[in-house]
Amino acid sequence: MRKYLYLYLSLLLATLSSIQGCALVVVGAASAAATAAVVNDHRSLQTITDDKNIEFTASDRISKNAEMRQNSHIVVVSFDHAVLLAGQVPGEAARQRVESLIQALPKVARVYNELEISPPTTPTVQSNDAWITTKVKTRMLETKGLHSGQIKVVTENSSVYLMGVVSRHQAKLASDVARRVDGVKRVVTLFEYHYDR
């Protein structure tokens, strides 16, 4: 089973590495930032649909805005109506405009604005981010007692962001796993907590 998972992930990474695109990249649920299979996702079907709609609408609106596209690499990920913005934009004004656009979307409960003011990352860095995400997700799947299907993993410029609605014990397990993966510069936890069971 593990052999086939690694083969699938390697093929997916090879495909992603060969894709060349413009500076703007908006990554959603089925993106390079979330390549491993999600199992035991405890969100309701309606919430999953809402999250996908948030990501799709955000992607569409950003791609149609020339000012937001220029010199930017923007990653938008929604989990349980919480939205992570990561990537690079040219200035503070652009950073705030993107946040305002996303906050105004229907069903967005909160926005974590992690956009950096810097030039966009290169395709090589983005491919490395995808590989880091793959390694983190794989290690989580292998970790006894960790319910990885409840956790969204996003990597941007070697920073790993963890999202989900979890217990504090699960959050600690997940962050410990991510910190031990080669290539991870920092781990940012954006969890909402429920009581340990």
Side-chain angles (χ1 to χ4, degrees), residues 132-146:
I132 289 172
T133 294
T134 298
K135 291 190 291 185
V136 171
K137 294 288 283 184
T138 302
R139 296 272 179 86
M140 286 185 176
L141 286 168
E142 296 171 344
T143 301
K144 185 177 181 181
L146 179 57

Side-chain angles (χ1 to χ4, degrees), residues 145-147 150-151 164-175 191-197:
L146 179 57
H147 308 301
Q150 300 173 41
I151 300 168
V165 182
V166 298
S167 68
R168 293 188 182 276
H169 174 68
Q170 289 288 303
K172 184 178 184 312
L173 276 177
S175 58
F191 292 124
E192 291 181 58
Y193 297 104
H194 64 69
Y195 292 108
D196 290 329
R197 292 173 185 171

Side-chain angles (χ1 to χ4, degrees), residues 23-24 62 65-74 88-91 94 120:
L24 171 72
I62 291 171
N65 186 309
E67 189 179 11
M68 289 185 186
R69 285 198 319 266
Q70 189 174 9
N71 299 318
S72 297
H73 168 75
I74 302 171
Q88 302 79 39
V89 290

Side-chain angles (χ1 to χ4, degrees), residues 177-192:
V177 168
R179 285 189 180 94
R180 290 195 300 267
V181 171
D182 288 340
V184 174
K185 290 182 180 175
R186 68 178 182 137
V187 176
V188 179
T189 56
L190 305 173
F191 292 124
E192 291 181 58

